[in-house]
Amino acid sequence: MEHRCNCGSVHDTEIGISYNLFEKIDKDRMECLNEHEEGSGAKVFKTWEERLDRSEFVQSDVDDELLFNIPFTGDVKLKGLIVVADESYSPKTVKLYKNRPHMLFDHLDNSPEQEFELIADAYGVHEYPVRTVKFSSVQHLSLYFSGMGNTEQIKIYYIGLKGEWTPAHKHGVTICTYEARPLISNHPTDFNEVGRIIK
Ligand SMILES: [Zn+2]
């Protein structure tokens, strides 16, 4: 099937099958700042088939901003983003930040890994092309949505994430390497002794 989008293009609607990263979100640790109803932010990460279900959504509380902190259950290579919102309450921009857990509004800066201007996509077919080179080894993704200041609230029905997922076992290796280095440099004598033993 094909669908004409607000961006002017016609999109294939078979893309939805690859939007399954919501299964790899650690939902118990997920945070949505400024959500009007507690816990509603987590509900917009659902199957692509449910993207048009208007009974579940997240709405901003005091302002036209929402900040999602999304921990994954492994390593993710992010490849695409879809956002479903109605024109009148659609956020205008989204900034993507990689591996900065527990971000607060105070932490937002002008150096997100990527930023998109959003079009109102009520049907959930417009894909934002995430720069995969910048979004490999993602254990945590923050999404900051904002309006233009001329709407009171923003409202999102669905956020779709596309990409690859691998289990988190690599972290153990990283931590070991990190710990081994300072030990060697702090104890050059020990290192020499170890070197002699090995010879
Ligand atoms: Zn489009």
Side-chain angles (χ1 to χ4, degrees):
M1 266 182 69
E2 293 185 330
H3 179 80
R4 180 162 289 280
C5 174
N6 272 340
C7 72
S9 300
V10 174
H11 301 303
D12 185 357
T13 59
E14 301 302 310
I15 53 167
I17 199 147
S18 53
Y19 274 79
N20 52 12
L21 267 186
F22 69 96
E23 294 172 347
K24 305 301 184 187
I25 294 173
D26 186 349
K27 287 205 171 172
D28 292 338
R29 294 196 300 125
M30 211 203 100
E31 303 164 337
C32 180
L33 282 69
N34 197 39
E35 59 188 358
H36 179 67
E37 191 189 321
E38 201 181 329
S40 57
K43 292 180 182 169
V44 301
F45 296 88
K46 49 192 172 183
T47 66
W48 193 77
E49 287 75 20
E50 290 173 306
R51 75 198 184 283
L52 304 180
D53 175 2
R54 293 295 203 253
S55 66
E56 283 181 348
F57 58 86
V58 59
Q59 191 168 357
S60 61
D61 192 18
V62 293
D63 237 330
D64 56 351
E65 296 177 299
L66 284 168
L67 176 57
F68 293 87
N69 286 317
I70 307 160
F72 293 106
T73 58
D75 279 350
V76 162
K77 185 190 277 186
L78 190 64
K79 294 181 169 178
L81 172 74
I82 288 179
V83 180
V84 175
D86 290 327
E87 194 137 22
S88 45
Y89 290 100
S90 178
K92 298 293 183 264
T93 59
V94 60
K95 291 180 178 179
L96 287 71
Y97 296 89
K98 173 186 163 180
N99 293 345
R100 301 196 214 178
H102 306 296
M103 270 193 96
L104 301 172
F105 287 107
D106 288 347
H107 300 155
L108 294 167
D109 54 34
N110 288 323
S111 58
E113 271 69 26
Q114 199 164 6
E115 179 171 1
F116 293 108
E117 281 194 21
L118 301 173
I119 58 149
D121 178 13
Y123 198 73
V125 290
H126 186 86
E127 287 189 280
Y128 299 95
V130 174
R131 247 180 259 141
T132 309
V133 278
K134 292 213 170 188
F135 288 94
S136 58
S137 300
V138 182
Q139 291 104 43
H140 187 282
L141 176 71
S142 297
L143 297 176
Y144 169 66
F145 292 92
S146 63
M148 294 293 273
N150 48 9
T151 46
E152 299 272 310
Q153 265 97 33
I154 53 174
K155 196 172 177 179
I156 297 171
Y157 294 97
Y158 169 80
I159 296 173
L161 301 171
K162 179 175 79 170
E164 292 168 14
W165 176 89
T166 48
H169 65 267
K170 275 192 209 158
H171 302 323
V173 175
T174 310
I175 290 164
C176 289
T177 312
Y178 177 74
E179 284 172 352
R181 269 196 221 117
L183 278 176
I184 290 166
S185 59
N186 290 344
H187 305 281
T189 318
D190 296 351
F191 179 64
N192 289 341
E193 281 169 12
V194 171
R196 274 202 296 275
I197 292 164
I198 289 170
K199 275 176 202 164

